[in-house]
């Protein structure tokens, strides 16, 4: 102000800074890249500096084409609701009623900040930037950059990372294929090497099965001219403990002669440490295959099969051997000597010796091991790992009978722990309620007795169980003729053998509790 002698304002002097020229020139030094700009705006959100996009604003219809017209004081920094540079139509309604874009609205409210999350600018283009309100001057300033340009280095980095991942994946696949090819050729080499050499009097012909503890070959005896199955354990597959179990199985099984028990002919060890034994070659299927292929079995056939298993196990129990791994996968169905539906009990790998009184002998007691298959393990063997007597096999055979009648396991669970808990505390659903075939009351009651939690409530030995099975009303209805009709209808598969890998639900567990870590 210009004051007179009395001190009153007589005039005023003002210095005008034209925003479209000098002010815009000051802010234009902060225009990074191809799309960056710094601009100022008043409390209403009106642009008070020039935009670097004046020509584009004219093409978009946001700025008139009148000579000398600039964006300064003519553009309100509002969100058009769509990216106008892509040819999209702005939001309907009065442009002045549209909200200010996020950065300007925050600054006008007195705030300041930074955003890396793209928001639409006054052209509708997604942008990132920073802003501040300058209260001493009464306007705000913002700097922004189109998101496409701002994140361009990130896209390059992503492309590089993706290319690196693809290279790593390709290298992994090459390594996997190479390793698998090496493994295949190594196995072929090992098989060829085994076939090229005799194991005692046996010549290996072809591999017919493979499991965790051994490989099974169809073989030929040089003198007897008889085909046999030879199971062997290669030294690079097993530790001394597994080899001990393998040899233990053979020595104990050789003591059994019942026709329903797999017959062992011979065993030995080669000079380079390969342990093997020869046994009868079976053609047929396991009871697990039977249920998976043909579903629930009629009661009379189940009785016929269970009695045979009882007779095999009765001999084993009489000489002091407990099987401890009776399950569908260890019971083989075949035709022997013209007799259809003959059952063979396999895999005495977990057999345990008991004394004359039925108490476990100390030298073979395994108190720190879970041994068996969860779906068939008796509750007392879960509470006391390593324990087992004749009633343990009775419980497992009851679970086998249950599954033959229903084509469903006794209990369902995603983990061994879930199944163990049910084995100890859950009562099984009566099989007649789960089977599609009729189940007589006497057989149902007998199976539930076999599955009693208390061993004292079960049949006390296999002789008692076999006698009770023979008392069931449908026993004897499955005649040899019916068996022959079934085998003629479905045929005898190629040579099968207990060396196949068990399914996940039937896997035998050998857990050493003393070696477990929390």
């Amino acid at each position: 102000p210009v004051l007179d002698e009395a001190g009153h304002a007589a005039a005023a002097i003002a210095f005008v800074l034209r925003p479209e020229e000098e002010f815009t020139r000051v802010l234009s030094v902060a225009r990074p890249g191809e799309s960056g700009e710094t601009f100022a705006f008043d409390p209403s959100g009106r642009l008070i500096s020039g935009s670097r996009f004046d020509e584009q604003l004219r093409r978009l219809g946001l700025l008139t084409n009148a000579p000398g017209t600039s964006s300064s004081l003519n553009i309100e920094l509002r969100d058009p609701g769509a990216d106008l540079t892509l040819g999209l139509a702005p939001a309907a309604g009065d442009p002045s009623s549209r909200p200010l874009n996020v950065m300007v609205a925050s600054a006008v409210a007195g705030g300041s900040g930074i955003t890396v999350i793209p928001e639409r600018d006054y052209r509708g283009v997604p942008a990132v930037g920073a802003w501040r309100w300058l209260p001493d001057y009464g306007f705000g300033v913002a700097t922004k950059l189109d998101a496409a340009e701002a994140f361009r280095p990130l896209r390059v980095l992503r492309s590089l990372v993706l290319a690196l991942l693809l290279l790593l994946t390709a290298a992994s696949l090459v390594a996997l294929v190479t390793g698998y090819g090496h493994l295949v050729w190594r196995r072929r080499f090992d098989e060829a090497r085994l076939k090229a050499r005799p194991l005692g009097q046996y010549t290996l012909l072809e591999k017919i099965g493979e499991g965790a503890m051994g490989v099974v070959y169809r073989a030929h005896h040089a003198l007897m001219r008889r085909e046999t199955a030879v199971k062997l354990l290669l030294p690079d597959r097993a530790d001394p403990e597994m080899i001990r179990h393998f040899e233990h199985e053979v020595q104990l099984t050789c003591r059994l002669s019942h026709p329903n028990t797999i017959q062992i002919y011979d065993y030995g060890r080669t000079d380079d440490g390969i342990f093997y034994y020869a046994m009868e070659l079976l053609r047929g299927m396991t009871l697990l295959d039977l249920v998976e292929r043909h579903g629930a079995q009629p009661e009379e056939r189940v009785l016929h099969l269970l009695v045979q298993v009882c007779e095999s196990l009765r001999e084993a129990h009489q000489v002091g051997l407990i099987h401890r791994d009776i399950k569908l996968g260890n019971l083989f169905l075949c035709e022997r000597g013209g007799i259809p539906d003959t059952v063979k009990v396999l895999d005495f790998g977990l057999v345990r010796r008991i004394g004359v009184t039925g108490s476990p002998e100390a030298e073979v007691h395994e108190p720190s091991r879970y041994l068996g298959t969860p779906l068939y393990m008796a509750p007392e063997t879960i509470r006391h790992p390593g324990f087992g007597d004749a009633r343990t096999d009775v419980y497992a055979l009851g679970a086998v009978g249950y599954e033959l009648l229903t084509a469903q396991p006794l209990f369902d669970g995603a983990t061994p722990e879930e199944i163990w808990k049910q084995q100890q505390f859950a009562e099984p659903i009566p099989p007649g309620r789960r089977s599609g075939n009729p189940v007589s009351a006497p057989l149902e009651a007998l199976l539930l007795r076999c599955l009693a939690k208390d061993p004292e409530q079960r049949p006390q030995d296999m002789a008692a169980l076999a006698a009770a099975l023979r008392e069931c009303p449908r026993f004897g209805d499955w005649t040899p003729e019916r068996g022959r009709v079934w085998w003629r209808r479905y045929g005898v598969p190629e040579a099968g053998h207990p060396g196949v890998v068990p399914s996940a639900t039937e896997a035998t567990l050998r857990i050493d509790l003393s070696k477990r870590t929390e």
Side-chain angles (χ1 to χ4, degrees):
V2 178
L3 305 178
D4 60 14
E5 294 178 353
H8 299 109
I13 300 176
F15 294 92
V16 178
L17 181 68
R18 295 181 62 82
E20 69 273 18
E21 294 179 1
E22 290 86 355
F23 190 32
T24 299
R25 190 180 305 116
V26 170
L27 297 180
S28 67
V29 299
R31 289 181 175 178
E34 301 171 1
S35 62
E37 65 171 335
T38 300
F39 53 88
F41 47 91
D42 65 13
S44 67
R46 184 178 297 275
L47 191 66
I48 60 175
S49 64
S51 168
R52 73 176 296 176
F53 299 108
D54 279 11
E55 291 302 322
Q56 188 181 62
L57 294 174
R58 290 188 178 92
R59 291 196 302 271
L60 296 175
L62 298 177
L63 192 64
T64 65
N65 291 320
T69 302
S70 71
S71 54
S72 177
L73 302 178
N74 290 306
I75 294 293
E76 291 186 350
L77 303 173
R78 299 184 180 276
D79 180 2
D83 189 346
L84 304 183
T85 65
L86 299 178
L88 301 177
D94 184 3
S96 63
S97 65
R98 296 169 189 160
L100 297 174
N101 67 53
V102 173
M103 289 187 290
V104 174
S106 176
V108 168
S112 62
I114 299 173
T115 180
V116 294
I117 300 175
E119 300 286 353
R120 284 189 295 268
D121 68 0
Y122 53 91
R123 300 170 296 145
V125 177
V128 296
W131 62 91
R132 179 181 293 275
W133 183 256
L134 305 175
D136 293 340
Y137 303 100
F139 65 85
V141 178
T143 297
K144 69 177 183 64
L145 185 67
D146 289 0
E149 182 180 0
F151 293 116
R152 191 176 298 155
L154 180 59
R155 290 197 296 271
V156 174
L157 180 60
R158 284 177 176 172
S159 299
L160 291 175
V161 172
L162 180 60
L164 181 59
L165 289 176
L166 290 175
L167 287 174
L168 289 174
T169 302
S172 299
L173 289 175
V174 170
L176 181 63
V177 171
T178 302
Y180 178 75
H182 175 75
L183 180 62
V184 169
W185 283 107
R186 174 62 185 272
R187 287 187 175 180
R188 290 178 178 176
F189 174 77
D190 289 341
E191 291 179 16
R193 181 171 58 88
L194 287 170
K195 290 180 182 180
R197 53 173 291 180
L199 294 177
Q201 295 293 320
Y202 300 95
T203 301
L204 304 182
L205 302 178
E206 63 175 332
K207 185 169 71 173
I208 58 176
E210 185 172 354
M213 290 190 67
V215 182
V216 182
Y217 283 87
R218 183 170 62 87
H220 185 78
H221 192 278
L223 298 179
M224 292 186 288
R225 306 293 181 183
R226 175 177 61 185
E227 281 195 343
T228 61
V230 172
K231 186 174 183 179
L232 49 89
L233 189 66
L234 302 177
D236 59 350
R237 287 201 181 187
D239 54 28
E241 179 70 10
M242 289 181 64
I243 295 176
R244 186 184 71 82
H245 272 292
F246 201 72
E247 191 166 4
H248 182 65
E249 172 188 355
V250 179
Q251 293 171 347
L252 294 176
T253 309
C254 283
R255 299 166 55 182
L256 305 176
S257 60
H258 195 276
N260 291 118
T261 302
I262 186 73
Q263 299 298 299
I264 304 297
Y265 299 141
D266 191 12
Y267 67 91
R269 189 189 297 266
T270 65
D271 294 337
D272 50 354
I274 299 177
F275 184 81
Y276 69 92
Y277 66 87
M279 53 189 158
E280 57 182 325
L281 182 67
L282 303 176
R283 284 181 169 83
M285 68 186 77
T286 66
L287 295 191
L288 179 62
D289 297 328
L290 175 68
V291 170
E292 289 181 345
R293 297 175 190 175
H294 305 287
Q297 298 300 299
E299 176 177 336
E300 57 271 24
R301 192 181 196 186
V302 173
L303 290 166
H304 175 73
L305 301 177
L306 293 181
V307 167
Q308 295 182 70
V309 180
C310 285
E311 296 301 334
S312 169
L313 294 177
R314 177 165 66 170
E315 181 204 25
H317 293 174
Q318 286 174 347
V319 298
L321 302 179
I322 305 301
H323 191 287
R324 295 201 296 175
D325 200 20
I326 292 297
K327 60 183 179 181
L328 293 178
N330 280 341
L331 302 174
F332 202 89
L333 189 63
C334 58
E335 188 173 7
R336 301 295 284 173
I339 302 176
D341 264 16
T342 298
V343 177
K344 289 284 187 175
V345 178
L346 313 174
D347 197 355
F348 282 74
L350 298 185
V351 72
R352 182 161 174 257
R353 196 163 50 243
I354 59 173
V356 177
T357 62
S359 60
E361 294 183 3
E363 65 270 17
V364 295
H365 191 46
E366 296 174 294
S368 65
R369 288 178 177 267
Y370 280 131
L371 297 172
T373 304
L375 290 174
Y376 307 88
M377 289 176 67
E380 63 271 17
T381 64
I382 301 171
R383 291 190 296 267
H384 306 289
F387 177 78
D389 61 14
R391 297 169 298 182
T392 302
D393 285 348
V394 168
Y395 184 94
L397 191 54
V400 166
Y402 187 101
E403 198 164 347
L404 286 172
L405 285 172
T406 64
Q408 300 179 61
L410 181 62
F411 297 114
D412 292 316
T415 64
E417 287 77 10
E418 291 180 15
I419 297 175
W420 284 335
K421 184 176 180 180
Q422 294 179 78
Q423 294 283 28
Q424 296 180 79
F425 306 111
E427 293 299 328
I429 300 172
R433 288 162 51 185
R434 300 181 71 186
S435 176
N437 300 321
V439 180
S440 67
L443 177 58
E444 183 173 83
L446 178 58
L447 290 180
L448 293 177
R449 279 180 56 208
C450 293
L451 298 170
K453 309 299 182 188
D454 182 1
E456 296 295 333
Q457 297 179 12
R458 302 174 202 153
Q460 295 300 291
D461 55 40
M462 287 297 167
L465 177 56
L469 289 169
R470 290 188 173 97
E471 293 296 324
C472 292
R474 300 300 303 274
F475 179 76
D477 290 354
W478 187 264
T479 61
E481 181 56 34
R482 289 187 64 182
R484 276 188 281 271
V485 169
W486 190 93
W487 283 97
R488 282 197 298 268
R489 178 179 179 183
Y490 295 106
V492 180
E494 294 298 319
H497 204 272
V500 295
V501 179
S503 67
T505 57
E506 273 233 338
T508 301
L509 293 183
R510 293 174 172 83
I511 302 178
D512 192 337
L513 300 182
S514 65
K515 297 180 181 179
R516 291 181 66 182
T517 58
E518 293 297 332

